[in-house]
Amino acid sequence: MLEIIKSLLIAFFAVAVLLPVVRYALVRLSPAKGAAALSADELKYIQRQELKLTVAYFFFASVLAVFGAGMLALISSILHASTAYMHVLTPNFRAFFAPGLLLGLTLAVLPLRLVQRTLLHHDYDLYKTYTRQVEGERSNRVYNLLLLVMLALSGIVIWYALRWHVNISEDKIEVTTVLLDQRAYDMRDIQSIRLLGVEGEYLITFSDQTNINTTYLKPITLEMIALLSAKSGKRVIR
């Protein structure tokens, strides 16, 4: 849970830092010509109102990130389901939270656009005038282009993340990494099995120093660990 909250805070901090930079670039590329100037009081007021949209964006991003990570974990389980192996390990919610967060930060723009007018009420027109001043004339076009780029990037990251899985048969372990690197190991290639302090979380090291951290895989059973230990001749290190 703390790991998820930390990831959310880092992502939101990055967005908060990058937004003024993006706005500055937009207004430099396409300055607002003939836009009505806002008074100092109007500027302070609409900036306070803009906080509503910021909070709404972060709320939508959090919900979509959690939902996306859960759905990706489910899809991965379905995608790699097989009766040809004794155990099939696929990434869990924690492993998919980073791709889910990227997707959530991207898609949160869509519901935000739908609720803008509702949240701002009669201040909506004033807000549009404000955004023209701080983002330029063609900001919507640029934001739409950025949305498409982020969607494409999210799709690529998710596609690669869904490839990662581990198949375990009676005498062999087959590992497909995120980068589609496929490796096969004999049980005797296991160098060590280390318990990471919590039941179900193990670090399995092979003779070529490749590691499998089961913290980010599901499901992990005692029967599976017992099989690996028996076949490899290695005791679980606690």
Side-chain angles (χ1 to χ4, degrees):
M1 187 63 182
L2 290 177
E3 183 179 344
I4 292 173
I5 294 175
K6 181 180 176 180
S7 298
L8 284 171
L9 291 176
I10 292 174
F12 296 157
F13 177 76
V15 171
V17 171
L18 287 175
L19 183 58
V21 177
V22 172
R23 280 182 158 179
Y24 177 78
L26 287 174
V27 78
R28 294 291 294 178
L29 291 172
S30 178
K33 298 177 181 179
L38 298 179
S39 66
D41 290 339
E42 287 178 325
L43 194 60
K44 290 180 180 179
Y45 174 75
I46 203 62
Q47 285 175 341
R48 288 196 299 269
Q49 294 299 99
E50 190 180 31
L51 287 176
K52 293 181 182 179
L53 301 181
T54 303
V55 172
Y57 171 77
F58 287 158
F59 172 77
F60 290 135
S62 300
V63 172
L64 290 172
V66 172
F67 177 77
M71 287 302 299
L72 290 173
L74 178 61
I75 292 171
S76 179
S77 298
I78 297 172
L79 185 64
H80 299 294
S82 174
T83 57
Y85 302 95
M86 296 181 66
H87 301 278
V88 178
L89 310 181
T90 55
N92 57 22
F93 177 87
R94 292 173 66 180
F96 276 118
F97 188 74
L101 179 56
L102 178 60
L103 184 65
L105 290 171
T106 302
L107 294 181
V109 176
L110 302 179
L112 180 65
R113 289 182 175 182
L114 294 177
V115 302
Q116 270 189 355
R117 190 180 293 274
T118 302
L119 290 176
L120 296 176
H121 300 293
H122 57 276
D123 296 322
Y124 181 75
D125 292 333
L126 182 62
Y127 176 72
K128 298 304 292 184
T129 302
Y130 167 73
T131 54
R132 284 185 63 195
Q133 285 188 359
V134 299
E135 295 178 354
E137 292 283 353
R138 295 191 291 270
S139 60
N140 279 339
R141 295 181 184 178
V142 177
Y143 279 132
N144 289 336
L145 179 61
L146 287 175
L147 177 61
L148 293 176
V149 171
M150 290 298 295
L151 283 174
L153 178 62
S154 299
I156 293 172
V157 170
I158 288 171
W159 188 83
Y160 275 99
L162 286 173
R163 302 300 99 193
W164 181 31
H165 66 285
V166 179
N167 295 326
I168 301 176
S169 58
E170 189 173 351
D171 296 303
K172 188 168 61 174
I173 300 175
E174 298 175 1
V175 181
T176 301
T177 67
V178 174
L179 299 178
L180 302 184
D181 182 19
Q182 296 182 332
R183 305 174 186 178
Y185 298 96
D186 189 273
M187 291 290 188
R188 290 169 294 183
D189 292 329
I190 295 177
Q191 191 176 72
S192 65
I193 305 172
R194 183 182 299 274
L195 177 65
L196 298 178
V198 179
E199 195 61 53
E201 298 183 4
Y202 298 87
L203 183 66
I204 303 169
T205 304
F206 295 94
S207 55
D208 63 354
Q209 300 307 307
T210 296
N211 295 317
I212 297 177
N213 189 340
T214 67
T215 302
Y216 301 99
L217 292 170
K218 64 176 180 73
I220 308 300
T221 63
L222 290 176
E223 291 80 4
M224 187 201 78
I225 296 299
L227 172 68
L228 298 183
S229 178
K231 290 291 185 178
S232 65
K234 305 293 183 181
R235 297 183 61 182
V236 177
I237 303 172
R238 298 181 179 272

